[in-house]
Amino acid sequence: MSKLTIIKSLKQYSQHIGLEWNGPTPLYHKLYSLLKDQIIDGTISYGAQLPTEQELGEAFKLSRITVKRAMDELAAEKLVERRRGRGTSVTYKYKPKPAKSPLVGLLENIETMGRHTLSRTIEIAQTVPPADVREALDMKDGETACRLLRVRLTEDEKIPYAYYISWTLTPADTFNAEALDNHTRIELLRQTGINISRIDQIISAEVASSEVARELDIREGSPLLVLERRSYDSNDKLIDILYCRYNPSIFQYQMTMDLDSYKESVQ
């Protein structure tokens, strides 16, 4: 991952989280947090050479002293190693979470749901995914994918109930806000010649972060139903990962199982 790519990724991430450089938090801590987040989630991978203090200072309009303190904080936590004349390199090794087995037979009618709800697009960007997404999509270090952030709302009362983050192995211009108002992502992918042949889903739960809570108009820390949806093309290649975070007071996941089919599947 080049120094230029790292700076671009940091800037995109700072915009994504709405970082305000003129806020009350010390500037060095803001830069330290940006770098730490992307190192911890594997976006900036083990062994990567970080931009110099001068390069980071010019990119974010910060003094050398401010940048140095941020880098010193990272070094103190053993996330990076600083060597005179050799620069700063990442020493933290991202550890992927244990693989989860997909739950088969839980596919909802995605296209029908898309036509009977509303979608609000927050962001469409071409950027480097976190390490776990890169690993799942079999991407090389530094490669980019299309990240799409959206909120889904009820059709009648326009209440936000779902927060979506998706990573797709397509250019960002595959999607646009106007098209997403009238089509599902699966339909838009089909228009580019990509046909989804299989979808696996993993169901879990988590609490709402401040960002998700703000978009869904709920309390931070509220319980959420989480679906991780992995979509494969006709060559059985994983091309899309979607994380759906639902407000369970509005959205429920219903599954009907045919008993005879179930008996056959476990024999």
Side-chain angles (χ1 to χ4, degrees):
M1 192 174 189
S2 70
K3 293 181 180 180
L4 186 61
T5 303
I6 289 175
I7 288 175
K8 183 177 179 181
S9 177
L10 288 170
K11 285 186 172 181
Q12 288 176 333
Y13 181 62
S14 67
Q15 292 171 355
H16 166 57
I17 62 175
L19 178 63
E20 296 182 1
W21 290 98
N22 58 353
T25 306
L27 291 174
Y28 84 87
H29 192 271
K30 293 177 180 179
L31 179 61
Y32 152 80
S33 297
L34 276 180
L35 285 161
K36 180 179 178 179
D37 285 354
Q38 297 226 309
I39 290 171
I40 292 296
D41 74 10
T43 299
I44 303 176
S45 56
Y46 171 75
Q49 193 76 10
L50 292 183
T52 64
E53 293 174 5
Q54 181 177 346
E55 289 169 335
L56 285 169
E58 291 174 353
F60 293 98
K61 297 181 173 54
L62 301 172
S63 70
R64 288 281 292 273
I65 295 175
T66 296
V67 176
K68 181 180 184 302
R69 185 168 178 187
M71 302 291 255
D72 286 344
E73 292 283 334
L74 294 171
E77 292 192 26
K78 302 190 184 305
L79 297 174
V80 302
E81 182 179 37
R82 312 196 72 193
R83 289 189 178 182
R84 186 178 297 276
R86 295 188 181 182
T88 304
S89 58
V90 176
T91 53
Y92 174 83
K93 289 186 178 181
Y94 167 78
K95 299 178 182 64
K97 296 176 183 177
K100 302 173 185 176
S101 300
L103 302 177
V104 231
L106 295 182
L107 304 183
E108 66 191 34
N109 191 329
I110 301 166
E111 296 195 34
T112 300
M113 178 179 173
R115 293 191 190 100
H116 291 87
T117 57
L118 303 175
S119 175
R120 174 167 58 82
T121 301
I122 300 172
E123 180 186 50
I124 303 173
Q126 194 78 22
T127 187
V128 178
D132 58 338
V133 176
R134 290 204 313 272
E135 183 178 345
L137 293 173
D138 195 23
M139 299 174 66
K140 295 179 181 177
D141 195 27
E143 277 191 306
T144 62
C146 174
R147 181 183 66 196
L148 178 58
L149 305 182
R150 293 177 300 149
V151 170
R152 194 162 286 285
L153 308 92
T154 59
E155 188 176 30
D156 47 2
E157 298 178 353
K158 298 180 176 56
I159 299 173
Y161 71 90
Y163 181 90
Y164 290 171
I165 302 178
S166 61
W167 294 95
T168 314
L169 291 179
T170 57
D173 59 10
T174 302
F175 307 108
N176 63 72
E178 184 178 355
L180 287 164
D181 284 342
N182 303 296
H183 302 277
T184 65
R185 290 185 321 119
I186 289 179
E187 290 172 331
L188 295 176
L189 287 173
R190 194 179 296 137
Q191 290 175 13
T192 67
I194 298 174
N195 291 304
I196 302 301
S197 63
R198 177 165 67 91
I199 298 177
D200 291 339
Q201 289 192 157
I202 301 167
I203 301 179
S204 60
E206 65 180 44
V207 296
S209 65
S210 57
E211 178 186 353
V212 175
R214 181 179 67 249
E215 295 294 344
L216 296 185
D217 194 22
I218 57 177
R219 274 187 180 180
E220 182 177 352
S222 297
L224 297 173
L225 173 66
V226 182
L227 298 184
E228 178 184 333
R229 181 178 295 148
R230 299 188 172 201
S231 300
Y232 298 78
D233 66 11
S234 53
N235 296 316
D236 207 35
K237 175 178 171 56
L238 178 62
I239 57 98
D240 179 86
I241 299 178
L242 171 66
Y243 299 97
C244 314
R245 291 172 170 85
Y246 294 106
N247 178 352
S249 66
I250 300 177
F251 178 89
Q252 294 180 333
Y253 197 99
Q254 180 176 340
M255 177 181 63
T256 303
M257 183 178 289
D258 179 82
L259 187 57
D260 292 332
S261 300
Y262 175 73
K263 287 177 179 177
E264 291 176 5
S265 68
V266 297
Q267 285 176 357

